[in-house]
């Protein structure tokens, strides 16, 4: 698997917007030195103007602290991502959808029902109340497989 600035994605801790690491560096995103979360330029401005500089990572369970923005250390992030991938810390559904050939893991329990329908399975991101951001594979409106995105 090829990992570089254009294939690694990051998420803004404040608004949840996502982009590639390459585009984030180009657009002027920052990373908090204390908690290592990322913040886009618009949210950084909002944090300073309306939140008194308090890092919005507290919404992710991190103790409250002052946001300490710094340039994104892209080399360190790529090393971390490669290390995590080599340790197998990639979700099974995400790994199967993007990096390997289709496997039985993401096939629905009722294959016969799926083949009778002309509707192809749909994979998309959804926000679930209990689990937050999840990657869902749906067929005929019902989830076939799902996986939480963001934590292992």
């Amino acid at each position: 698997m090829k990992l570089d600035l254009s294939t690694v994605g990051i998420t803004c801790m404040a608004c949840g917007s996502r982009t590639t690491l390459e585009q984030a560096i180009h657009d002027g995103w920052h990373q908090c030195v204390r908690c290592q979360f990322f913040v886009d330029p618009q949210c950084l401005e909002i944090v300073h103007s309306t939140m008194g500089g308090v890092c919005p990572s507290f919404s992710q369970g991190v103790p409250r602290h002052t946001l300490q923005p710094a340039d994104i250390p892209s080399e360190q992030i790529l090393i971390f991502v490669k290390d995590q991938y080599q340790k197998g810390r990639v979700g099974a559904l995400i790994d199967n959808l993007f990096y390997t050939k289709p496997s039985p893991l993401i096939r629905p329990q009722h294959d016969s029902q799926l083949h009778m329908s002309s509707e192809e399975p749909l994979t998309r991101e959804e926000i679930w109340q209990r689990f937050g951001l999840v990657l869902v594979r749906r067929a005929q409106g019902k989830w076939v497989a799902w996986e939480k995105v963001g934590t292992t």
Side-chain angles (χ1 to χ4, degrees):
M1 177 176 121
K2 180 183 173 197
L3 290 172
D4 60 28
L5 296 177
S6 65
T7 60
V8 174
I10 62 173
T11 303
C12 175
M13 69 176 134
C15 68
S17 63
R18 298 180 343 175
T19 188
T20 63
L21 186 56
E22 181 178 48
Q23 190 64 42
I25 292 169
H26 180 266
D27 292 345
W29 285 45
H30 289 85
Q31 182 179 35
C32 179
V33 173
R34 178 131 182 233
C35 64
Q36 308 301 310
F37 280 90
F38 301 100
V39 62
D40 67 47
Q42 294 80 20
C43 292
L44 180 62
E45 190 175 307
I46 292 169
V47 165
H48 288 305
S49 65
T50 64
M51 296 178 63
V54 174
C55 184
S57 64
F58 68 86
S59 66
Q60 305 295 320
V62 176
R64 288 183 190 259
H65 61 276
T66 302
L67 179 66
Q68 301 171 4
D71 290 336
I72 297 174
S74 56
E75 294 81 17
Q76 290 177 334
I77 292 171
L78 287 176
I79 290 168
F80 172 78
V81 170
K82 286 178 185 178
D83 181 58
Q84 295 300 305
Y85 185 78
Q86 289 171 347
K87 289 179 180 176
R89 293 188 179 153
V90 176
L93 182 60
I94 294 170
D95 186 43
N96 283 325
L97 287 174
F98 299 107
Y99 304 117
T100 61
K101 294 180 182 178
S103 73
L105 175 67
I106 59 174
R107 289 203 181 108
Q109 296 284 337
H110 306 287
D111 269 347
S112 60
Q113 289 180 352
L114 182 62
H115 293 295
M116 291 170 42
S117 167
S118 61
E119 181 182 348
E120 289 293 317
L122 172 69
T123 303
R124 66 180 183 192
E125 294 174 345
E126 296 179 5
I127 304 289
W128 287 6
Q129 185 175 3
R130 184 171 180 188
F131 298 104
L133 183 64
V134 295
L135 189 61
V136 180
R137 187 165 180 90
R138 290 187 176 273
Q140 298 178 339
K142 298 178 183 175
W143 67 268
V144 175
W146 68 275
E147 182 169 319
K148 183 169 174 56
V149 177
T151 58
T152 54

